[in-house]
Amino acid sequence: MRRLRGGNGPPLLARLRVGSKLMLLVLLPVAAMLAFTAFSAVAQWQQARELDLFHTATRVSFETTGVSDAVARERIAAVLARLRPDRDTLGERAAAERSTDRALTTATERAGAWSGADVAGELGAFGRQLHAIRAQTDTGSLSASAVVQQYQTVQDELLDTVADLESGGPTRAAGRAADAHIALLQAIEAGERERAEVAILLSTPLAHRPTAAGRWPALEEAQLREFRRDTSAPLRAELYATRFGKPGRAVRSVRDMLAAADPRTAHWPSYDSWLADSRARIDSLRGIQDQAARELAGTAAHDLHTAKVRALRDLALSLAVLVVVTVLALALRRSITRPLREVAAGARALSEGDLSYDIRYAGRDELGDVADTFRELRVTTERLAAEIRSLNTAIDDNRLGHRADVGAFAGTWAQLLGGMNATMASFAAAHGRRRRAEEELESIFNLSLDLLCITGVDGYFKRVNPAFERTLGHSAETLLSRPFTEFVHEEDRADTRAALDRLASGVEVAEFENRYLRADGTERWLQWSARPVPEQGLVYAAARDVTESRRHAREQAALRRVATLVARGAPPEEVFTRVAEEVGELLGTTAAVLRHHPDGSRTVLGTAHDPEVFEPASRDARRDAARRAIHEVTRTGRAARAGRAVAAPIVVDDRLWGFVVAASLREALDRGTEDRLADFTELIATAIANADSRAQLTASRARVVAAADASRRRIERDLHDGVQQRLVALQLDLRLAESLVTDPTSELSEQLSHVSKGLDDAFQDLLQVARGIHPAILSKGGLGPALRSLARRSAVPVELDLALPAARLPEQPEVAAYYVISECLTNTAKHAHARVVRVEAKVRDDVLELTVADDGAGGAEPGRGSGLIGLIDRVEAIGGKLDVRSPPGEGTTVRVRLPLAVPPTDV
């Protein structure tokens, strides 16, 4: 058998007790059967769960079907009200709308309790679409055909939702019933669409009626064929009776008339008779639809009940079999495990050195043989223990020539005693090897470049290596004669004592850093790693001199902070001050950033630590040293040192722009200070170049926006003074020509009226284009009247909250504010599907603040090429800021801040 091991542990099966193995052996076939049964039960429960979900989905789909029926009735009512508006048709349309709202509310509540797809959200979206269609229908801007088309979009989406809900039939019967129900819904929708289109046709004057047949009868017939294929025989009979009843024959007669190549207009039905016949036929189809829905619900409920009963029956049978087999296996297990436990207890006692334990089991089976073997093993173990005791006594007496009697044992026992004899023979040689190892360790201790020491918990060094002496400059005698905390920097002594206390308490390893004072008074940073030996009261420690690496890390951190400030585009004066502070902190000096002018004069831009040193009236010796260092930099173009001062040049576009100067309180600065200072000058040069680029970019964007606004005003003025005036003149001429026509019913009069209307529409379109280019009301009346004009023309209702001063605002902020709000209203009408837009405008602290918020779909992203990018450019070109917040489904909010006084940019 292949051994399954986990690391160095015993085989997997060896970890099980015999009783467990017996149970596994007996129950393995039953377990396989149970596993198969359980898998089948899980599959059946899963099918039952799917049937339950499908059953719930059908209830949601039936409510959605009710919404679809209500929308269909609302559509035909809206069409009739558009074709022949009177009190009855308008009342029927209002009643149909209320019925649709009730059906939509009921379906939304039913869908909200379902855990499947977000049908409630889709129904909410359908409700918003219906409100938008009703608003357009109320204004009369839609023709009857357009009304049908608008409602058709909602109907198609509703039927798609019903199809999605009923498409998951887990069984064949449920799937066929669902397919039949969906096919009948599609057929009814085709009949409804045909009813509306024929009503529109019959309301048209006879001379202008089209003769081509629509596509809806063919679509209805195809869906009814599919319904007959999948439904039950009684429903097929109901469908046959409906098709060949009186309303069905009347509708088919109209279809044949419309499909004829030369229909006889005299035999066309009346408008009212068509509506009555088609309505009666569709009502019959809806009755069949209700029966199909009941068949679908009954099929789903029957399948669900059958699946649950089958799963419970199979599970109960499997559990009964498992109980019977388990009882038999437990009885057999008890007859085997009792003697095994006795043998195991004897083996455990023998392994623990208890040779007095006696195994009483004396059966004649295999377990009895094992018990006899353990009795013989106990006697052999007693003899082996006596030999081992004699070897231990010889070691204690230093009689390394003593040997055990190997010949009295055989096999593994003889090999064990032979190995112990070999151990005795090599024991003396181990003393010599130990001595040589100690000498090698001594050499490593003395030659190590790291600082190695042994200290006691009493606070004194017990031993230090030569590297310790070289680093600190003290002799070994000095280091060993005084408490080591006297060599630690005064500020680090408390932390060092705390670390020693942790080591004394038994912490395995302690790592920390502190400063030691050299014999010459300078500081050295040491990084320690220490391990205690509590039983000896000692601590073994190793240290590394990290003074230079810490200084390098401080320099890099300072450079990163300054580089981050530069990358953020901070103002140059902030960068200059930060550079002076970082240089002063890093070098422990006073520092300054100076600007060099072409006439040789210099300006202090940023200082740190004793800034009065760089004042013109200062008599400090460091100022004289700094002046000499700057003079040397000006002459050579490289970093230079003069006494206690160091200076480095700032070069921008290959010209000397300024200096960074550091002056020390000590006699001299460290070597390499010039190079460290040069790193900061490169960052200052980058900051100056970045600021100059930003200023040029801002000015360029402002010029582009100003040029575009001037072009808009010129084009608007040309349109107003040129094309608009010519169109007005043509309108007057056309009115004169109409007055000369004596017969107002003649073809010439109708043509002149048609041309006049087209000319009026063209004039209105041109007027809208001129207003969009640059509105005249903005130039004449200011921002307030212009925004109110925008609100009146908006397709979405606008709520204005204007808190603007009576005086006119500057031109650039006014124009920018107008176009921002105009673009936002346009985007809302095109994409947001919002019900209302709130616009706020106020002036606070010389800043014009704008807020445009809608309750639409949200999801606007400026980075995807929308019109918001142009608005951001326009706002930022005059120093403003535009922020867009548009989470999906929560509307869009645009906030703008426009400064009314833009300060000039200077680098």
Side-chain angles (χ1 to χ4, degrees):
M1 179 184 294
R2 181 168 63 91
R3 293 165 64 89
L4 301 175
R5 293 186 177 273
N8 296 323
L12 177 61
L13 294 180
R15 302 176 188 176
L16 301 177
R17 293 184 177 272
V18 173
S20 301
K21 296 178 182 178
L22 181 62
M23 291 293 292
L24 286 175
L25 181 63
V26 173
L27 296 178
L28 188 61
V30 178
M33 182 189 71
L34 286 175
F36 177 78
T37 304
F39 178 81
S40 176
V42 170
Q44 292 173 2
W45 277 110
Q46 180 64 28
Q47 183 182 15
R49 184 174 179 274
E50 294 175 357
L51 286 168
D52 186 46
L53 290 175
F54 177 72
H55 188 257
T56 305
T58 56
R59 292 198 295 269
V60 176
S61 73
F62 294 157
E63 297 295 341
T64 308
T65 301
V67 176
S68 175
D69 295 342
V71 171
R73 295 185 180 95
E74 180 180 337
R75 175 179 58 193
I76 189 63
V79 170
L80 297 180
R82 184 68 180 85
L83 294 175
R84 297 183 178 180
D86 54 29
R87 177 178 299 177
D88 293 337
T89 56
L90 293 177
E92 290 177 0
R93 189 188 75 176
E97 290 178 353
R98 290 192 296 272
S99 176
T100 301
D101 291 339
R102 289 193 297 270
L104 190 61
T105 302
T106 303
T108 302
E109 293 175 352
R110 170 74 71 177
W114 188 46
S115 60
D118 188 15
V119 178
E122 296 177 1
L123 291 174
F126 297 153
R128 291 191 292 272
Q129 294 181 24
L130 286 174
H131 284 301
I133 296 173
R134 293 169 184 174
Q136 292 178 317
T137 305
D138 291 338
T139 61
S141 60
L142 297 178
S143 62
S145 298
V147 171
V148 173
Q149 187 62 36
Q150 292 288 334
Y151 276 98
Q152 183 64 31
T153 302
V154 178
Q155 276 290 76
D156 291 342
E157 293 178 354
L158 283 169
L159 292 178
D160 289 343
T161 302
V162 173
D164 291 340
L165 290 170
E166 297 182 5
S167 63
T171 64
R172 177 179 178 83
R176 287 176 60 88
D179 292 342
H181 183 244
I182 294 171
L184 187 56
L185 288 176
Q186 296 287 356
I188 293 174
E189 174 57 23
E192 289 278 7
R193 184 66 186 269
E194 178 193 29
R195 182 188 182 198
E197 290 188 353
V198 172
I200 295 171
L201 174 67
L202 295 176
S203 66
T204 305
L206 191 62
H208 299 287
R209 290 181 183 177
T211 59
R215 62 185 179 90
W216 305 110
L219 178 59
E220 177 187 316
E221 184 59 29
Q223 296 296 334
L224 290 178
R225 282 197 301 270
E226 184 175 353
F227 172 75
R228 289 194 298 273
R229 184 189 65 215
D230 294 329
T231 192
S232 61
L235 291 185
R236 283 196 292 270
E238 290 282 346
L239 178 63
Y240 182 85
T242 297
R243 294 182 62 195
F244 291 97
K246 181 179 178 182
R249 292 195 307 272
V251 170
R252 190 165 58 253
S253 174
V254 174
R255 289 176 178 175
D256 295 339
M257 186 183 305
L258 292 174
D262 186 16
R264 299 178 180 179
T265 56
H267 294 83
W268 281 14
S270 66
Y271 176 86
D272 294 331
S273 65
W274 163 252
L275 291 178
D277 292 336
S278 61
R279 178 175 182 175
R281 178 177 175 275
I282 290 176
D283 289 342
S284 299
L285 290 177
R286 290 194 187 280
I288 299 174
Q289 170 200 325
D290 294 338
Q291 297 181 41
R294 287 193 292 273
E295 284 190 0
L296 174 58
T299 302
H302 178 267
D303 291 343
L304 176 60
H305 176 73
T306 302
K308 289 183 177 179
V309 170
R310 184 168 58 250
L312 290 173
R313 181 191 60 204
D314 294 345
L315 184 60
L317 180 61
S318 301
L319 291 176
V321 173
L322 177 61
V323 170
V324 172
V325 175
T326 302
V327 171
L328 294 176
L330 289 174
L332 183 61
R333 172 188 178 186
R334 180 177 177 82
S335 67
I336 295 176
T337 55
R338 289 184 64 183
L340 277 178
R341 281 196 295 270
E342 186 177 351
V343 173
R348 189 178 303 108
L350 183 61
S351 66
E352 295 174 353
D354 183 7
L355 301 180
S356 63
Y357 186 86
D358 187 18
I359 299 176
R360 294 185 298 273
Y361 183 73
R364 297 183 179 181
D365 54 2
E366 290 82 356
L367 295 177
D369 296 339
V370 173
D372 294 338
T373 303
F374 269 99
R375 295 187 189 97
E376 296 175 0
L377 178 61
R378 188 185 68 177
V379 174
T380 303
T381 305
E382 289 177 346
R383 293 168 52 212
L384 180 64
E387 291 292 339
I388 293 175
R389 285 193 294 270
S390 66
L391 285 172
N392 290 335
T393 302
I395 292 174
D396 293 338
D397 297 340
N398 201 20
R399 293 183 287 111
L400 301 181
H402 177 78
R403 298 293 183 271
D405 185 8
V406 179
F409 297 88
T412 303
W413 306 123
Q415 296 175 7
L416 175 61
L417 291 177
M420 296 185 69
N421 288 337
T423 302
M424 291 288 291
S426 60
F427 189 73
H431 287 282
R433 291 194 297 272
R434 178 181 177 183
R435 183 61 184 173
R436 289 193 296 272
E438 290 176 351
E439 294 174 353
E440 293 173 356
L441 182 60
E442 182 74 15
S443 299
I444 294 173
F445 186 80
N446 292 330
L447 296 175
S448 174
L449 296 178
D450 288 334
L451 287 71
L452 304 178
C453 69
I454 302 174
T455 184
V457 294
D458 57 357
Y460 283 84
F461 288 120
K462 305 302 179 182
R463 188 176 179 184
V464 294
N465 69 337
F468 217 106
E469 302 177 50
R470 291 192 301 270
T471 301
L472 298 183
H474 295 287
S475 64
E477 292 76 10
T478 303
L479 293 171
L480 298 178
S481 63
R482 294 156 54 185
F484 64 80
T485 53
E486 293 186 8
F487 303 101
V488 178
H489 193 282
E490 186 175 325
E491 296 178 359
D492 296 341
R493 289 177 183 175
D495 293 338
T496 304
R497 292 192 188 97
L500 182 62
D501 293 340
R502 291 199 306 272
L503 290 168
S505 65
V507 175
E508 184 176 356
V509 176
E511 296 182 351
F512 58 95
E513 292 184 1
N514 61 10
R515 288 170 289 179
Y516 270 68
L517 298 176
R518 285 178 49 86
D520 59 3
T522 58
E523 301 174 359
R524 305 302 293 180
W525 277 93
L526 299 183
Q527 187 180 64
W528 291 91
S529 179
R531 180 186 297 275
V533 184
E535 62 273 11
Q536 299 178 10
L538 298 176
V539 176
Y540 292 85
R544 178 170 298 174
D545 187 357
V546 295
T547 305
E548 294 300 326
S549 62
R550 285 180 62 88
R551 186 173 70 178
H552 180 69
R554 289 180 59 206
E555 292 177 2
Q556 293 302 314
L559 288 172
R560 281 196 300 272
R561 287 192 292 269
V562 176
T564 302
L565 196 65
V566 172
R568 285 207 320 262
E573 56 273 12
E574 183 178 351
V575 175
F576 299 149
T577 302
R578 177 61 66 85
V579 169
E581 292 173 352
E582 295 290 353
V583 171
E585 185 69 24
L586 185 64
L587 302 181
T589 65
T590 181
V593 178
L594 307 180
R595 173 69 185 271
H596 175 74
H597 299 289
D599 60 359
S601 60
R602 303 177 186 90
T603 303
V604 179
L605 302 179
T607 59
H609 307 301
D610 294 335
E612 63 273 6
V613 172
F614 299 98
E615 295 295 332
S618 175
R619 296 183 179 275
D620 195 307
R622 289 174 291 176
R623 173 174 171 78
D624 295 334
R627 185 179 299 137
R628 294 196 303 272
I630 292 173
H631 178 74
E632 185 65 18
V633 170
T634 305
R635 187 180 64 84
T636 63
R638 296 191 299 272
R641 175 195 297 264
R644 292 182 294 171
V646 174
I650 302 173
V651 179
V652 178
D653 294 334
D654 296 329
R655 63 183 177 86
L656 180 62
W657 190 90
F659 313 91
V660 176
V661 185
S664 174
L665 298 174
R666 299 195 302 267
E667 289 299 328
L669 293 170
D670 295 338
R671 288 181 299 177
T673 304
E674 297 92 327
D675 296 334
R676 296 158 67 187
L677 202 59
D679 293 335
F680 287 94
T681 62
E682 294 178 3
L683 289 175
I684 295 176
T686 302
I688 295 170
N690 287 348
D692 183 61
S693 298
R694 287 196 304 272
Q696 294 180 8
L697 177 61
T698 301
S700 176
R701 293 167 71 179
R703 289 194 298 270
V704 171
V705 171
D709 291 341
S711 298
R712 288 173 178 269
R713 286 192 295 270
R714 186 179 63 256
I715 295 174
E716 189 272 339
R717 186 171 58 254
D718 292 344
L719 288 175
H720 181 273
D721 297 340
V723 179
Q724 289 184 9
Q725 300 301 325
R726 294 178 62 188
L727 288 177
V728 170
L730 289 174
Q731 286 179 316
L732 295 176
D733 292 342
L734 191 59
R735 294 287 187 272
L736 179 61
E738 288 180 346
S739 64
L740 297 177
V741 177
T742 58
D743 186 5
T745 62
S746 64
E747 182 177 357
L748 176 59
S749 178
E750 292 181 358
Q751 187 65 26
L752 288 176
S753 298
H754 177 71
V755 173
S756 177
K757 185 179 183 304
L759 192 59
D760 288 341
D761 293 340
F763 181 79
Q764 294 298 325
D765 291 342
L766 183 61
L767 185 61
Q768 292 297 326
V769 170
R771 290 176 177 174
I773 292 175
H774 189 82
I777 190 172
L778 178 63
S779 301
K780 297 179 181 179
L783 184 60
L787 294 183
R788 283 188 282 271
S789 176
L790 275 179
R792 288 192 298 272
R793 299 200 307 269
S794 174
V796 180
V798 178
E799 296 178 357
L800 287 178
D801 183 6
L802 305 180
L804 301 175
R808 288 289 298 272
L809 300 178
E811 182 181 6
Q812 286 188 344
E814 269 195 345
V815 174
Y818 177 84
Y819 283 115
V820 166
I821 296 176
S822 176
E823 182 67 21
C824 290
L825 294 180
T826 301
N827 289 342
T828 301
K830 289 183 178 180
H831 311 295
H833 306 293
R835 291 174 296 181
V836 66
V837 182
R838 292 177 296 279
V839 178
E840 298 179 4
K842 59 184 176 182
V843 176
R844 183 167 55 188
D845 298 334
D846 289 334
V847 175
L848 175 59
E849 298 180 354
L850 306 174
T851 302
V852 183
D854 63 61
D855 58 353
E861 296 185 14
R864 293 189 174 179
S866 66
L868 293 175
I869 295 178
L871 297 182
I872 292 174
D873 290 341
R874 173 179 286 276
V875 169
E876 292 182 352
I878 61 174
K881 183 178 180 181
L882 185 144
D883 177 64
V884 179
R885 182 182 179 276
S886 183
E890 299 183 13
T892 301
T893 300
V894 178
R895 290 185 172 87
V896 181
R897 289 176 56 87
L898 296 171
L900 299 181
V902 182
T905 301
D906 187 15
V907 181

